[in-house]
Amino acid sequence: MRIFLFISILLISGLAFYTNTIDIIFPWGFFLFILRVVYRNQLDYRKVAFVSYLYFSIMGVLAYVSYILFASLSFAPFVDDGYYYYNIQTIWSGNINNDINYTLYEFVVAIVYAPLLLVFKNIEHYMLLPFNWFLGTIFVTESIRFAWKIVPIKNSKKVFCSFFILLNYSCVDAFVHLYRDSLMLIFYVISLSFILKKQYVKGIMASLLTSLVRGANGMLALLYLLFNMIPFFFSNRRRMIILVCGTLLLFPYVINRIDYNKLGRISSNDQSSVTIKSRIENMKNGEGAGGVLNLLRSSNPVMNFVALPVYMISPLKVRNAINISEYKTYNQNVKTIFRLKIESLWEFIHVIFYSCFSVSLFCGIYYWLKNSDKNTLMLFFLFFISLALITFISMQTRHKIIFIMFFPVLYNYFYKYKSLRSVFLSKIMSYVFIVLLLVYNILM
């Protein structure tokens, strides 16, 4: 942890003086102090929080430097964080744009940073980034707490289990940029925790807060609440199988009738009616699902099913770090730039870590089902539904975090119930998987 602290302080200070952005030091230090206060009497979780915040700080600074060097802008080249920054500025100025559907996220960021307007004439985009690193840290820490409520193992494993979230490409991308996912995910994990403890009123309130940031995730939290209030199907595994099969049979009906944009923020009036089915077809014809697209495009249902475990641990390939691509930012002209992609570093870290531990996660699924009671069986079904929805419908990288948060749970199940035989087999399979990924990255 001291190494992380030294590197992050070095990078933050270097960034501040080299780019004349010394004003980033105050919010970064302030949120680090808040974390220390929040987890002051919880040593294990404080370690998780500090490691998470410092890691996100390091990756966030590297991303910022990458964008500044090659595009002379601090925004990510994917429109969204520029969009949220623009919305926050309109809230500060009082010029609310009625054509934009603001979410709770923009108002929370605007309120948190409002006192700084008394000190700084203008709050730049980069000054808001430490708040997202802070929110991502809270989510990681509370996800570990959630995992230990479901299947506790020895406390020394908490920091290691946090790596399943921290080192995941999708999570780094979501938390180092100015995206709303971080706030939504905090409300989401809190709502699941309340429902797990049978505190349904608090669970409903947290679910509603989740919906105010992204509607679809609030619906998933309420779905878990429904499972708890109508536990008939989860009283044994046979009924759960009936529920899963029934869900799959209803899937074609649902995707033809539900408006995709009603499940989340509608960013423009031109997207007022898009069915889930048309959304799926559009994504399959584009680049939104990454390397799993070929599996989704296949007419073979077996290949479609294989997309689930593949997308669960994707990306499996490190893309070219140097390329010429479009740089898209909100309310600014699209330009084509030469860029050294910071995303390739995140993909490299992801591939290395998951090539070693993906087998443990898949074994964890087996042990979860084998050793589950009624409550944990309901959570498994939520995990399965989330995985299926994101794989076949959303196909957006950042949306994957709603099932990635269960990875520490999967590892804990594997760690708690593993046998000597399963450990031996998992090691052999891990070695094979590492070789396959190495060949895939070199030759494909």
Side-chain angles (χ1 to χ4, degrees):
M1 188 165 63
R2 291 178 180 177
I3 296 175
F4 273 141
L5 180 61
F6 173 76
I7 295 175
S8 58
I9 291 176
L10 189 65
L11 286 174
I12 288 287
S13 302
L15 169 70
F17 289 103
Y18 179 74
T19 60
N20 196 27
T21 55
I22 196 169
D23 38 10
I24 195 177
I25 293 179
F26 173 74
W28 181 82
F30 174 76
F31 292 123
L32 182 63
F33 172 75
I34 293 296
L35 287 172
R36 183 175 180 82
V37 172
V38 170
Y39 296 106
R40 63 184 180 279
N41 296 322
Q42 307 170 58
L43 179 60
D44 295 322
Y45 294 111
R46 190 170 72 224
K47 289 180 180 178
V48 173
F50 275 29
V51 169
S52 301
Y53 186 69
L54 298 176
Y55 182 76
F56 288 141
S57 299
I58 293 169
M59 293 303 160
V61 169
L62 292 177
Y64 175 84
V65 171
S66 170
Y67 305 144
I68 286 291
L69 286 177
F70 296 101
S72 300
L73 292 169
S74 62
F75 303 105
F78 313 113
V79 179
D80 278 13
D81 72 342
Y83 171 81
Y84 291 121
Y85 178 61
Y86 169 79
N87 291 353
I88 293 165
Q89 282 187 313
T90 62
I91 294 172
W92 283 331
S93 65
N95 298 321
I96 302 295
N97 189 337
N98 294 326
D99 294 329
I100 295 176
N101 285 347
Y102 295 88
T103 69
L104 181 62
Y105 173 72
E106 290 98 315
F107 286 98
V108 168
V109 178
I111 291 170
V112 168
Y113 275 84
L116 289 184
L117 291 172
L118 301 175
V119 180
F120 301 98
K121 180 180 292 187
N122 185 37
I123 297 179
E124 299 292 343
H125 165 259
Y126 62 82
M127 293 180 65
L128 304 181
L129 296 178
F131 184 56
N132 251 43
W133 306 343
F134 168 78
L135 293 177
T137 297
I138 296 292
F139 167 71
V140 173
T141 308
E142 294 309 310
S143 294
I144 297 301
R145 191 193 303 275
F146 181 68
W148 255 250
K149 289 178 182 176
I150 299 169
V151 52
I153 59 175
K154 60 183 182 181
N155 289 334
S156 60
K157 286 287 183 179
K158 286 178 180 174
V159 172
F160 172 76
C161 283
S162 70
F163 292 162
F164 284 99
I165 304 176
L166 279 179
L167 304 185
N168 190 285
Y169 169 84
S170 303
C171 297
V172 177
D173 177 54
F175 297 145
V176 303
H177 299 121
L178 196 66
Y179 296 152
R180 61 178 172 154
D181 303 77
S182 51
L183 182 64
M184 177 275 297
L185 288 162
I186 290 175
F187 292 141
Y188 185 69
V189 71
I190 290 174
S191 66
L192 297 189
S193 297
F194 280 139
I195 296 169
L196 182 65
K197 293 186 292 186
K198 309 299 182 184
Q199 297 177 0
Y200 295 139
V201 174
K202 293 180 180 178
I204 291 173
M205 293 175 63
S207 301
L208 294 176
L209 289 173
T210 307
S211 300
L212 292 176
V213 186
R214 182 182 290 138
N217 295 85
M219 290 174 60
L220 280 172
L222 291 173
L223 180 65
Y224 177 51
L225 175 67
L226 183 64
F227 292 163
N228 277 268
M229 299 183 72
I230 310 176
F232 173 77
F233 284 103
F234 297 93
S235 57
N236 61 53
R237 290 175 178 78
R238 182 179 297 177
R239 289 173 184 164
M240 181 184 173
I241 292 173
I242 294 173
L243 179 61
V244 171
C245 292
T247 302
L248 294 175
L249 288 174
L250 286 173
F251 188 74
Y253 175 85
V254 172
I255 65 174
N256 278 288
R257 287 164 176 78
I258 291 183
D259 188 339
Y260 173 81
N261 282 323
K262 300 303 181 187
L263 301 180
R265 168 182 49 79
I266 305 173
S267 58
S268 72
N269 294 329
D270 297 333
Q271 297 179 326
S272 58
S273 182
V274 179
T275 65
I276 291 179
K277 183 176 181 180
S278 63
R279 161 78 174 180
I280 295 173
E281 295 304 318
N282 290 338
M283 292 297 288
K284 285 182 180 180
N285 293 328
E287 299 179 353
V292 79
L293 271 173
N294 289 333
L295 295 173
L296 293 172
R297 287 171 179 154
S298 173
S299 57
N300 187 333
V302 175
M303 297 294 286
N304 295 154
F305 180 79
V306 171
L308 285 172
V310 172
Y311 198 53
M312 173 179 158
I313 60 170
S314 65
L316 302 178
K317 184 177 177 62
V318 181
R319 292 171 291 184
N320 291 333
I322 301 174
N323 74 342
I324 298 175
S325 59
E326 287 188 342
Y327 191 92
K328 303 175 183 178
T329 54
Y330 190 73
N331 274 356
Q332 296 190 38
N333 295 328
V334 176
K335 54 184 178 180
T336 302
I337 63 168
F338 167 84
R339 188 162 75 94
L340 181 63
K341 296 173 61 178
I342 185 63
E343 299 95 319
S344 297
L345 173 62
W346 303 338
E347 289 170 344
F348 177 77
I349 294 172
H350 176 108
V351 170
I352 292 296
F353 181 79
Y354 279 89
S355 64
C356 298
F357 296 103
S358 288
V359 175
S360 300
L361 297 182
F362 293 125
C363 291
I365 292 176
Y366 166 75
Y367 286 118
W368 192 350
L369 286 172
K370 183 180 179 181
N371 300 282
S372 59
D373 55 23
K374 182 181 69 176
N375 291 327
T376 54
L377 202 59
M378 287 186 280
L379 275 172
F380 177 82
F381 188 61
L382 181 68
F383 163 74
F384 173 79
I385 288 292
S386 302
L387 176 60
L389 288 174
I390 304 305
T391 303
F392 296 123
I393 296 178
S394 169
M395 305 179 200
Q396 289 196 21
T397 302
R398 299 198 312 273
H399 294 180
K400 294 170 61 176
I401 307 175
I402 63 168
F403 64 77
I404 292 171
M405 64 169 284
F406 287 101
F407 286 2
V409 178
L410 295 177
Y411 179 80
N412 283 10
Y413 266 108
F414 169 73
Y415 185 87
K416 184 173 182 177
Y417 295 104
K418 64 186 177 181
S419 62
L420 291 175
R421 182 182 177 185
S422 65
V423 170
F424 175 75
L425 291 175
S426 66
K427 286 183 178 180
I428 296 298
M429 294 172 65
S430 295
Y431 293 143
V432 173
F433 191 56
I434 290 170
V435 172
L436 290 175
L437 279 184
L438 185 63
V439 172
Y440 177 65
N441 276 271
I442 294 174
L443 301 181
M444 302 298 287

